[in-house]
Amino acid sequence: MESFEERLERLEEISEKLRRGDLGLEDASLVFEEGIKLAKGLEKELAKVERRIEILINEPKTVGEKPILELFPELSSLKED
């Protein structure tokens, strides 16, 4: 399987091809379909990483401590002011 970075690079290539506008309708359709599949896969992978980061950030430091459910709890006090 290609790495995240390789797939992102391929998505950028696809985007550039479509922007140039020199593809025929059938080719453009196939390239667009590939791009959509890549974008959805990359988005799904980013969401997984984001969830893992949230878990690590909010993990309790001591036994019995409740986890913090906000990603940036220090910013919540700023909203209340």
Side-chain angles (χ1 to χ4, degrees), residues 20-78:
R20 281 195 313 254
D22 57 359
L23 294 174
L25 181 59
E26 185 65 29
D27 289 338
S29 175
L30 292 172
V31 169
F32 181 77
E33 183 178 351
E34 180 186 355
I36 290 295
K37 288 178 182 177
L38 276 170
K40 286 182 178 183
L42 291 168
E43 184 177 21
K44 192 174 186 179
E45 192 170 333
L46 281 174
K48 285 181 186 177
V49 170
E50 187 176 86
R51 283 192 301 273
R52 285 189 358 225
I53 289 170
E54 285 180 25
I55 289 169
L56 291 171
I57 288 174
N58 298 322
E59 190 173 89
K61 294 178 179 98
T62 59
V63 176
E65 181 182 355
K66 291 184 179 184
I68 299 169
L69 300 177
E70 295 178 41
L71 187 55
F72 299 105
E74 64 277 5
L75 297 178
S76 359
S77 63
L78 298 176

